[in-house]
């Protein structure tokens, strides 16, 4: 929900001061159901004990240019696959839900997580075209397309076994997102609360936890505070014009979900205030 220069600054904070090892060992894994539930060490180290496989680009939908993810899995020092089944972190990037954004700025976080012994499935999704950039192509509302894509990307986790040299534990899935991705990760964690016919209802994969960094949870309030109309662009209108969309897409409207959610928020973040 910010201009791109401000986004770069916030991304630098995530890479550096926020602490990749804190994300990898503490906030993501131990916080979402306890370390013993995930079977991953949370000892504080500069980096984890595992190597990282070469990234695989895998399509989860029919449009391979937008409906795809990047899979990385932990390997032994000699490059051989680890022998035990590993948890899966589904990572969702931010960028104001815009088509121009991508997952590249979260690569370091994903690499750090894999070094602690988890697989990372980082998914792309169809975003919006900002009104100032519509000479790039036709306007496209991000919702319901973004919701359909994120739901499909999460539900694709069982099929990752067809591509992974390492056994993946589909019962230990955690969602992780930043900014717009924090909204989408929290929403995807809440999908069991959706009613039949709503976007994302009847999930195949049910995560055991979620970590949201600077996420948006109440789209109605966010719309009214968003001077750049990022939320309105995502939803294709105002809360009065599209009340059903706002209701199904706002994590706050789906409470309680019965799944641990860690909401990480900077106290001085002016773009997405901590309230």
């Amino acid at each position: 929900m910010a201009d791109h220069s401000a986004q770069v600054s916030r991304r630098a904070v995530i890479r550096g001061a926020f602490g990749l090892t804190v994300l990898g060992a503490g906030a993501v894994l131990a916080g979402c159901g306890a370390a013993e539930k995930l079977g991953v060490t949370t000892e504080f180290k500069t980096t984890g004990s595992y190597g990282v496989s070469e990234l695989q680009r895998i399509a989860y939908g029919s449009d391979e240019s937008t409906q795809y993810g990047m899979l990385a899995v932990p390997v032994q020092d000699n490059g051989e696959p680890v022998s035990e089944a590993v948890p899966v972190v589904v990572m969702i990037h931010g960028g104001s839900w815009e088509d121009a954004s991508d997952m590249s700025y979260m690569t370091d976080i994903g690499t750090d997580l894999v070094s602690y012994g988890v697989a990372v499935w980082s998914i792309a999704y169809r975003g919006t075209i900002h009104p100032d950039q519509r000479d790039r192509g036709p306007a496209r509302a991000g919702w319901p397309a973004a919701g359909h894509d994120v739901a499909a990307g999460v539900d694709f986790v069982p099929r990752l076994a067809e591509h992974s040299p390492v056994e993946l534990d589909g019962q230990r899935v955690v969602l992780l997102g930043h900014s717009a991705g924090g909204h989408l990760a929290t929403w995807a964690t809440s999908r069991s609360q959706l009613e039949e016919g709503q976007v994302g209802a009847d999930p195949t994969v049910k995560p055991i936890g979620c970590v949201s960094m600077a996420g948006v949870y109440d789209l109605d309030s966010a719309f009214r505070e968003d001077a750049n109309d990022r939320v309105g662009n995502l939803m294709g209108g105002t809360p009065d014009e599209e009340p059903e969309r706002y209701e199904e897409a706002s994590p706050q409207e789906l409470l309680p979900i019965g799944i641990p959610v860690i909401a990480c928020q900077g106290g001085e973040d002016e773009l997405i205030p901590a309230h």
Side-chain angles (χ1 to χ4, degrees):
M1 290 168 46
D3 60 52
H4 291 290
S5 62
Q7 287 177 3
V8 171
S9 175
R10 294 169 79 233
R11 292 172 181 180
V13 170
I14 293 174
R15 280 178 164 171
F18 202 101
L20 300 181
T21 54
V22 173
L23 283 171
V28 178
L29 301 177
C32 288
E36 58 270 20
K37 186 173 182 180
L38 285 166
V40 178
T41 179
T42 58
E43 179 184 352
F44 186 87
K45 294 182 285 188
T46 303
T47 189
S49 304
Y50 294 93
V52 181
S53 69
E54 183 176 347
L55 287 173
Q56 294 187 69
R57 178 173 172 141
I58 303 165
Y60 64 78
S62 59
D63 184 352
E64 296 186 7
S65 67
T66 56
Q67 296 169 319
Y68 72 92
M70 304 296 291
L71 176 66
V73 299
V75 296
Q76 301 178 57
D77 290 340
N78 61 5
E80 292 296 315
V82 298
S83 57
E84 67 274 12
V86 300
V88 180
V89 173
V90 180
M91 193 163 68
I92 308 173
H93 70 84
S96 299
W97 304 281
E98 290 185 2
D99 202 53
S101 65
D102 62 52
M103 63 181 72
S104 59
Y105 76 97
M106 296 186 76
T107 299
D108 290 347
I109 293 176
T111 298
D112 190 69
L113 286 169
V114 175
S115 77
Y116 282 91
V118 302
V120 172
W121 170 234
S122 185
I123 57 175
Y125 52 91
R126 287 172 290 175
T128 62
I129 302 236
H130 190 266
D132 294 342
Q133 299 175 318
R134 284 185 176 162
D135 57 345
R136 296 175 54 232
R140 180 172 68 217
W143 199 268
H148 283 306
D149 286 358
V150 169
V154 173
D155 285 346
F156 194 83
V157 166
R159 294 187 57 188
L160 292 174
E162 303 169 14
H163 307 272
S164 175
V166 174
E167 183 180 356
L168 306 179
D169 188 344
Q171 301 303 310
R172 294 186 293 164
V173 178
V174 171
L175 274 53
L176 166 67
H178 166 244
S179 192
H183 156 251
L184 292 168
T186 311
W187 170 81
T189 303
S190 311
R191 287 168 56 206
S192 293
Q193 300 300 103
L194 292 166
E195 298 178 357
E196 183 178 355
Q198 290 185 304
V199 175
D202 194 23
T204 300
V205 172
K206 298 180 180 179
I208 64 171
C210 174
V211 176
S212 171
M213 299 179 290
V216 178
Y217 313 108
D218 180 354
L219 292 179
D220 189 307
S221 294
F223 169 82
R224 302 181 195 288
E225 297 175 1
D226 181 12
N228 292 313
D229 198 29
R230 301 293 201 256
V231 176
N233 198 34
L234 168 73
M235 301 309 293
T238 69
D240 292 333
E241 293 168 338
E242 299 288 351
E244 293 182 357
R245 286 188 177 187
Y246 278 81
E247 182 178 353
E248 73 181 3
S250 293
Q252 181 170 293
E253 296 295 326
L254 302 176
L255 294 173
I257 63 173
I259 299 172
V261 175
I262 296 177
C264 305
Q265 180 67 45
E268 298 182 8
D269 189 338
E270 296 180 354
L271 305 177
I272 303 178
H275 66 264

